[in-house]
Amino acid sequence: MNKVLMALAGQPNCGKSTVFNTLTGANQHVANYPGVTVDKMYGSYRKNGVKVEVVDLPGTYSLTSYSLEERVSRNFILHDKPDVVVNVMDASNLKRNLYLTFQLLEMEIPVVVNLNMMDVAHRRGVEIDFDCLERLLGAPVVPTTIKKGKGKKNLINTINKVGLSKKKEHGIKIDYGSMEPFLDEIEKMLAGVCETDYPARWLAVKLMEADDEVEKIIRRHSAAGFDAIKARVKQIRRAFEAESDELPERHIAYARYKEADRIAGESVSVKRKEASLLSDKIDRIVCHKIFGPLILVGVVYALYHLSIVEGYKLTNYTWPLLAKIKSLTAAIMPPPGFMTEPMVRSLALWFVDSVNALLNYVPIFFILFALIAILEDTGYMPRMAFLLDRLFKRFGLHGQSTLPMVLGGIYVGGCAVPAIMATKGIPDERARFATTLIIPMLNCLAKIPLYILMINIYFAQHKGLAMMFMATVTIFMALPVAKILSLTILKDKETAPFIMEMPPYHLPTIRGVLGRAVERIWLFLKKIVTIVAAVAIVIFVLMQFPGLTEDRNAHYADETKIAKESFYKKIAGNPYAEYVQGDSIMALILYNERYKKARMGIKNKEKARTVDARFISENENFFKIVKPKKDKQAKKLNRALKKLISARKRILRQIKAEMIDNSFLGKIGRSLEPVTKYAGFNWRVNVALLSSFAAKESSVATLGALYQSDEEGETLEKRMEKTEKDFTPLHALSLLLVMALFPPCIAAVLTIKIQTGSVKWMLFSMFYQMFLGIVVASFVFTVGNLLGLTGLQAMGIFFCMALTFTIIMGLINPRHEYQ
Amino acid sequence: MTLDSLKPGSQCYTKKITAKGKLNQRLIDMGIYPGLQVKVIRNAPLEDPMEIELGGYCLSIRHEEAKFVEVEG
Ligand SMILES: Nc1nc2c(ncn2[C@@H]2O[C@H](COP(=O)(O)OP(=O)(O)OP(=O)(O)O)[C@@H](O)[C@H]2O)c(=O)[nH]1
Ligand SMILES: [Mg+2]
């Protein structure tokens, strides 16, 4: 089969990812925000017997070596040598887009020019003469409105044609005017001494631009003579500068724009001039001095209210489904014995419990993801950057930190993994590192279950307030930390200009929004089943072993014997006694449990009778004992049975508690108590925090398992409240704060390593946060305790302190960059 | 006169870019070159950055960066 390697290149936000998705059927992240795709993405499709491998490159305005994305795109084109590069363009902005096209053509690769967003161009009265443009550029031109699938076929055919022909069509050559003799000179000089397979003219232009990546290429290919070449290039550059009184790189860029102007002038006619009236009107309000910030607060509040508050109500409907999964699991596992439970059964139930605790939050996540998708699609994100840049800059961040921070949960609900990945779009290295390092401190989704749990128990009267506190206090901890980091360890990192495009507003499509929400939910679920499942199993093992000593086992066996003996003594001579001898007693206990569950919540008499009939047909005698009605002897046995059941429950509970106490995990948790007691944590909480190392979602799952309950279907809230009698709201506050600041989950930590490319930064991010978390929590708990503050008072005071600190840090003046 | 000194609503033509290195490259890549008509749309609520319109699209730029673009009437 014929194979074609195709790359999608183009300026940010022109629709490359949409083209990628349309061609490959994949679901790549699309957003009305420049710089969404920050790494290359692979996909493929087959058409007319040709397999086309597609690579979606990050959007770049240019192909210099100043930013990571530009280097990624350029290196791919240089080294992977695609058979065809599709240059996606915003047709309504042809002139500026051509600036990149020229740079692609200069690399002497086969280019297909894809004029996308034709609908927008039409709307703005931009008319393009395709034939003329094709002739002027010397490359095929394909118009599309890819969002609506228009022009797809033509695009596919052209890709096949150009990709398979494998012949290099050079397209137009830019005339650099007075620089031409200088370029010639460099080309001639290189010809003898430096053999590369890169186009000679391109090398010459890049050397004239003083591009350090190209200098490296030259060094690699001309080991001996490199210094001489470098010195000569410097001379030539200087000679040009002296002659034309302009920096060579500026001259080159202007020449490209001049050419773009000429070509656009010949092939484009604009009927109406005016950027976008509607967008302008909207911006008058959205970026207004007073309304702008108000709208911003409103948007973020709506995000929080709709997903967390309203979404939580939805879980009332979804929880019964999850409870059903658990009872089904219980039904298919081997039944428990009187004193012991088969290992597979406990493991399976543990597993379901752990996963259920998280699945319960899916409705919240779904709403949140959909809302974020709407924000991204409309084009509100760059407005957020515009509104917030001044503020963020004061803390060593960047207007473009907004997207990563919203993704990470600037207010509430996010995920550190995509957020840290999105920091790649921040052109400023110092701000990028600062953002990366504080993102794990924001309110990622996985922290929310624990917040909700603690708030529901300990701040039940002030739920809204407490949630508001958690949602906002994290940013007042993160911002000063960002400032401190950027003034200290990050102070030598490079900075970059802010300049950013403000795209016109788009209407989001339902398909796009729902698609993205589903995709992100799916990602989250995948993370659950892999990481959380793995953690659940590890914790299970740590909690089950080493188990009870033989002594203790014997002790419980004795207790069991006593309970049973007393039961049989009571029912001696009872006519039903013969049905409950030996193993049957266990069968009866389980029968009783099942019957109770089956009848639970059934009020309808008709239905109750059907259930009864089912149990009667299963075992008539057992039914008489379980439901004695007027039969005196049966009643007597029923009473004795109830006693036996409660004795068994007591024994089981004691065994379980002793087992956890004794377990490896219990020991670790306990050994940390001397440190964590200042923060008010007992070993159970320590164990939950330990389990959150692998994924924060685990903390609630672990707590859920640690607080076992006899009663079926009791919520974790109730169970925890019952077990931790002397836990106060102050304890809860301290736990909430530690959760907010605690180290990122394994996945987030790994992402930091990938993004920063260094283990050192990864470890740093882990430890500084762990340290910060324990210090802050201990401070709040210990001082709060000394002053006798209630949880709510401590909350208020801490909030004011964080806020004050943030303001102070913000007032410390940032360095001026370009002096 | 430099771009950063212009008030919202005013129009001008770009004359010269005086930045170096990265900022120079970025200004040019975003489509700023001599002889372009530029309109200042607005300042952000906190005064910085500013939004400008050039030939059909809008850019947001910090004042300290706009200082490196010389403009005339
Ligand atoms: N009106 C219109 N909008 C489009 C078209 N194609 C894409 N879009 C929208 O343009 C925006 C940007 O699309 P993306 O595919 O994310 O652009 P990109 O080039 O991948 O952007 P980066 O990854 O940031 O470089 C999205 O809101 C798309 O829905 C089109 O043909 N017409
Ligand atoms: Mg993209």
Side-chain angles (χ1 to χ4, degrees):
Chain A
M1 182 184 268
N2 282 316
K3 257 193 182 169
V4 168
L5 178 62
M6 184 262 271
L8 290 166
Q11 298 201 342
N13 213 35
C14 63
K16 290 176 300 301
S17 296
T18 317
V19 172
F20 180 90
N21 292 346
T22 313
L23 292 182
T24 64
N27 209 348
Q28 244 257 70
H29 201 149
V30 174
N32 187 13
Y33 186 94
V36 170
T37 307
V38 285
D39 214 341
K40 40 186 196 291
M41 295 285 292
Y42 297 84
S44 70
Y45 67 90
R46 274 158 216 274
K47 194 76 195 186
N48 304 336
V50 182
K51 181 166 186 216
V52 183
E53 307 252 9
V54 190
V55 182
D56 186 15
L57 297 173
T60 57
Y61 290 102
S62 181
L63 285 173
T64 60
S65 57
Y66 279 107
S67 80
L68 189 60
E69 295 93 84
E70 292 183 49
R71 285 196 295 269
V72 167
S73 296
R74 201 169 87 174
N75 287 338
F76 181 84
I77 293 170
L78 284 181
H79 304 307
D80 293 59
K81 303 219 174 346
D83 300 310
V84 50
V85 172
V86 173
N87 177 202
V88 185
M89 292 200 204
D90 174 356
S92 64
N93 253 323
L94 190 69
K95 206 162 78 186
R96 199 191 50 183
N97 279 256
L98 282 172
Y99 178 71
L100 179 75
T101 310
F102 295 147
Q103 299 183 51
L104 288 170
L105 289 171
E106 218 154 52
M107 292 167 89
E108 295 179 15
I109 35 163
V111 172
V112 171
V113 173
N114 172 208
L115 293 179
N116 191 32
M117 308 226 185
M118 284 305 296
D119 55 333
V120 183
H122 275 304
R123 238 187 355 255
R124 297 212 196 141
V126 175
E127 269 175 32
I128 302 169
D129 180 345
F130 306 124
D131 294 333
C132 172
L133 185 62
E134 203 166 280
R135 209 179 52 241
L136 291 172
L137 288 174
V141 171
V142 184
T144 61
T145 300
I146 210 70
K147 197 161 120 179
K148 302 195 179 90
K150 263 194 227 157
K152 177 181 164 186
K153 228 173 165 178
N154 193 358
L155 183 61
I156 289 178
N157 290 336
T158 314
I159 290 167
N160 281 3
K161 207 173 84 210
V162 177
L164 289 174
S165 76
K166 313 254 175 194
K167 70 165 187 284
K168 286 190 179 173
E169 297 203 38
H170 288 194
I172 66 152
K173 219 170 154 183
I174 304 254
D175 181 6
Y176 289 107
S178 60
M179 190 184 266
E180 286 296 338
F182 296 85
L183 291 173
D184 277 348
E185 199 178 340
I186 297 185
E187 263 186 69
K188 276 203 207 92
M189 175 187 70
L190 289 179
V193 285
C194 177
E195 288 302 322
T196 70
D197 47 359
Y198 305 110
R201 185 177 167 83
W202 178 76
L203 287 177
V205 171
K206 284 287 147 188
L207 284 176
M208 238 4 216
E209 280 181 344
D211 184 297
D212 17 306
E213 291 270 309
V214 169
E215 276 182 15
K216 274 184 219 148
I217 292 179
I218 303 284
R219 185 198 294 270
R220 242 183 286 131
H221 288 88
S222 59
F226 177 69
D227 288 335
I229 296 177
K230 199 176 166 184
R232 184 77 192 109
V233 168
K234 208 165 174 184
Q235 248 176 19
I236 296 176
R237 265 176 62 90
R238 248 195 249 129
F240 174 80
E241 218 178 314
E243 187 191 287
S244 64
D245 193 26
E246 186 65 285
L247 284 180
E249 55 265 39
R250 266 204 286 259
H251 178 89
I252 291 171
Y254 296 163
R256 287 177 185 147
Y257 278 120
K258 215 168 100 197
E259 190 68 12
D261 226 12
R262 185 180 71 85
I263 292 184
E266 278 184 47
S267 57
V268 180
S269 63
V270 185
K271 292 250 170 71
R272 276 167 276 134
K273 216 179 160 192
E274 195 56 51
S276 168
L277 282 173
L278 188 62
S279 282
D280 189 45
K281 274 195 191 130
I282 298 175
D283 267 341
R284 249 177 247 168
I285 301 169
V286 168
C287 299
H288 187 268
K289 295 220 145 50
I290 296 156
F291 299 128
L294 284 179
I295 290 172
L296 183 69
V297 171
V299 164
V300 177
Y301 179 77
L303 202 70
Y304 150 75
H305 184 83
L306 289 174
S307 57
I308 307 297
V309 179
E310 297 301 321
Y312 194 65
K313 285 182 192 154
L314 274 186
T315 61
N316 288 338
Y317 300 98
T318 49
W319 179 248
L321 288 175
L322 299 176
K324 189 110 195 183
I325 295 178
K326 173 149 187 216
S327 57
L328 279 177
T329 314
I332 57 170
M333 283 295 137
F338 193 90
M339 198 186 93
T340 54
E341 198 169 51
M343 188 72 90
V344 277
R345 184 186 174 83
S346 352
L347 180 61
L349 291 181
W350 163 268
F351 190 84
V352 172
D353 266 347
S354 311
V355 176
N356 269 0
L358 304 172
L359 289 182
N360 192 29
Y361 295 96
V362 164
I364 297 181
F365 295 170
F366 185 80
I367 296 178
L368 185 83
F369 288 154
L371 292 174
I372 289 180
I374 291 176
L375 282 188
E376 286 175 341
D377 263 10
T378 51
Y380 188 64
M381 293 289 189
R383 271 74 189 182
M384 276 175 131
F386 181 67
L387 292 173
L388 291 175
D389 180 63
R390 175 99 184 255
L391 193 75
F392 278 163
K393 205 178 114 210
R394 290 206 152 268
F395 296 97
L397 302 173
H398 193 278
Q400 288 193 19
S401 304
T402 315
L403 174 68
M405 284 172 79
V406 168
L407 289 178
I410 196 174
Y411 190 68
V412 104
C415 179
V417 176
I420 293 168
M421 279 154 65
T423 58
K424 240 189 176 175
I426 304 173
D428 182 311
E429 196 182 20
R430 189 191 304 161
R432 186 168 67 239
F433 269 86
T435 315
T436 306
L437 289 173
I438 58 161
I439 276 173
M441 294 171 62
L442 301 176
N443 289 321
C444 85
L445 283 168
K447 295 176 185 177
I448 314 280
L450 188 83
Y451 291 177
I452 295 178
L453 176 74
M454 301 310 288
I455 288 174
N456 274 342
I457 308 176
Y458 297 101
F459 296 95
Q461 248 92 64
H462 307 277
K463 268 189 214 170
L465 208 64
M467 201 63 209
M468 195 72 180
F469 167 79
M470 285 317 294
T472 47
V473 79
T474 44
I475 190 78
F476 295 125
M477 297 194 284
L479 286 180
V481 168
K483 181 64 172 263
I484 292 171
L485 290 174
S486 73
L487 286 178
T488 54
I489 358 179
L490 298 178
K491 77 171 184 293
D492 296 328
K493 296 261 172 230
E494 263 180 277
T495 61
F498 170 73
I499 319 170
M500 175 187 71
E501 195 179 346
M502 305 273 271
Y505 290 98
H506 287 309
L507 265 186
T509 59
I510 295 179
R511 207 176 124 237
V513 168
L514 291 185
R516 200 120 33 89
V518 168
E519 176 203 357
R520 285 190 184 157
I521 284 280
W522 178 234
L523 260 177
F524 180 78
L525 290 181
K526 270 200 291 200
K527 205 177 139 201
I528 290 182
V529 279
T530 52
I531 302 178
V532 177
V535 175
I537 290 169
V538 170
I539 304 254
F540 180 82
V541 170
L542 286 177
M543 229 156 78
Q544 290 283 318
F545 296 95
L548 299 186
T549 60
E550 280 194 11
D551 269 9
R552 297 304 294 165
N553 263 328
H555 165 79
Y556 286 116
D558 273 353
E559 294 228 326
T560 307
K561 214 167 126 211
I562 293 167
K564 276 191 180 165
E565 270 166 7
S566 131
F567 171 72
Y568 285 118
K569 211 152 92 201
K570 270 186 216 142
I571 62 164
N574 190 307
Y576 290 101
E578 60 167 308
Y579 304 121
V580 297
Q581 296 303 322
D583 286 343
S584 323
I585 181 62
M586 199 55 221
L588 175 61
I589 292 176
L590 295 176
Y591 180 93
N592 180 46
E593 257 173 33
R594 269 189 293 125
Y595 177 69
K596 287 246 169 76
K597 203 182 270 168
R599 278 294 296 270
M600 199 163 57
I602 292 185
K603 295 212 176 68
N604 181 314
K605 271 203 181 134
E606 195 51 45
K607 271 192 195 146
R609 227 172 281 141
T610 341
V611 173
D612 285 2
R614 206 176 74 221
F615 277 84
I616 291 171
S617 76
E618 189 187 322
N619 190 330
E620 206 177 335
N621 294 318
F622 276 5
F623 191 80
K624 281 184 188 147
I625 300 171
V626 169
K627 207 151 185 228
K629 299 209 173 112
K630 297 224 166 64
D631 185 334
K632 263 203 185 135
Q633 292 295 334
K635 257 191 188 161
K636 204 168 147 199
L637 203 140
N638 183 283
R639 269 198 300 277
L641 179 66
K642 278 191 180 142
K643 277 247 166 64
L644 181 65
I645 288 173
S646 75
R648 172 174 177 252
K649 276 192 178 157
R650 199 192 65 239
I651 295 171
L652 283 179
R653 200 166 50 226
Q654 285 171 355
I655 292 178
K656 197 148 222 163
E658 202 171 320
M659 201 134 107
I660 295 183
D661 241 355
N662 244 338
S663 69
F664 295 122
L665 201 66
K667 285 199 183 98
I668 301 172
R670 212 170 255 117
S671 70
L672 289 175
E673 268 183 350
V675 183
T676 59
K677 72 168 185 245
Y678 297 102
F681 302 156
N682 62 18
W683 67 274
R684 280 199 187 83
V685 176
N686 289 347
V687 166
L689 287 177
L690 284 176
S691 72
S692 76
F693 264 110
K696 284 203 173 90
E697 295 92 332
S698 309
S699 59
V700 167
T702 313
L703 283 176
L706 285 173
Y707 296 108
Q708 296 287 343
S709 156
D710 309 332
E711 263 147 83
E712 285 292 333
E714 208 174 28
T715 62
L716 177 55
E717 274 91 342
K718 287 230 179 67
R719 284 183 269 155
M720 184 159 181
E721 213 174 349
K722 258 199 207 159
T723 318
E724 297 291 5
K725 291 253 163 46
D726 39 67
F727 233 61
T728 63
L730 198 60
H731 287 83
L733 176 63
S734 151
L735 180 55
L736 283 171
L737 288 174
V738 110
M739 197 58 196
L741 297 168
F742 212 58
C745 66
I746 294 288
V749 165
L750 289 177
T751 320
I752 291 183
K753 157 139 195 301
I754 294 164
Q755 290 301 310
T756 59
S758 110
V759 178
K760 200 187 81 197
W761 281 111
M762 174 184 91
L763 291 177
F764 174 76
S765 97
M766 266 171 77
F767 287 109
Y768 98 87
Q769 281 183 80
M770 232 188 318
F771 176 75
L772 199 69
I774 288 294
V775 166
V776 168
S778 304
F779 169 77
V780 169
F781 182 77
T782 309
V783 174
N785 231 355
L786 278 177
L787 301 179
L789 298 177
T790 67
L792 211 59
Q793 286 167 335
M795 207 179 246
I797 293 172
F798 182 74
F799 187 83
C800 294
M801 282 171 60
L803 188 61
T804 316
F805 189 52
T806 304
I807 292 171
I808 293 172
M809 290 315 292
L811 288 178
I812 296 176
N813 231 0
R815 261 198 324 203
H816 274 287
E817 314 296 350
Y818 314 107
Q819 273 162 4
Chain B
M1 198 166 42
T2 53
L3 181 59
D4 65 307
S5 64
L6 294 187
K7 295 273 158 298
S10 47
Q11 280 199 17
C12 61
Y13 287 87
T14 50
K15 203 170 86 188
K16 202 172 173 202
I17 295 176
T18 52
K20 290 240 159 61
K22 243 187 206 180
L23 180 60
N24 173 55
Q25 191 65 46
R26 184 81 179 159
L27 286 166
I28 294 173
D29 287 349
M30 297 303 282
I32 300 176
Y33 55 95
L36 210 62
Q37 191 181 25
V38 175
K39 188 174 157 194
V40 180
I41 312 269
R42 63 174 62 81
N43 286 329
L46 300 168
E47 288 304 318
D48 198 33
M50 66 202 290
E51 186 180 349
I52 57 174
E53 191 199 314
L54 46 154
Y57 60 97
C58 298
L59 292 181
S60 142
I61 180 172
R62 287 175 180 161
H63 283 90
E64 65 187 40
E65 294 157 354
K67 207 185 230 154
F68 293 89
V69 180
E70 281 182 14
V71 293
E72 58 194 356

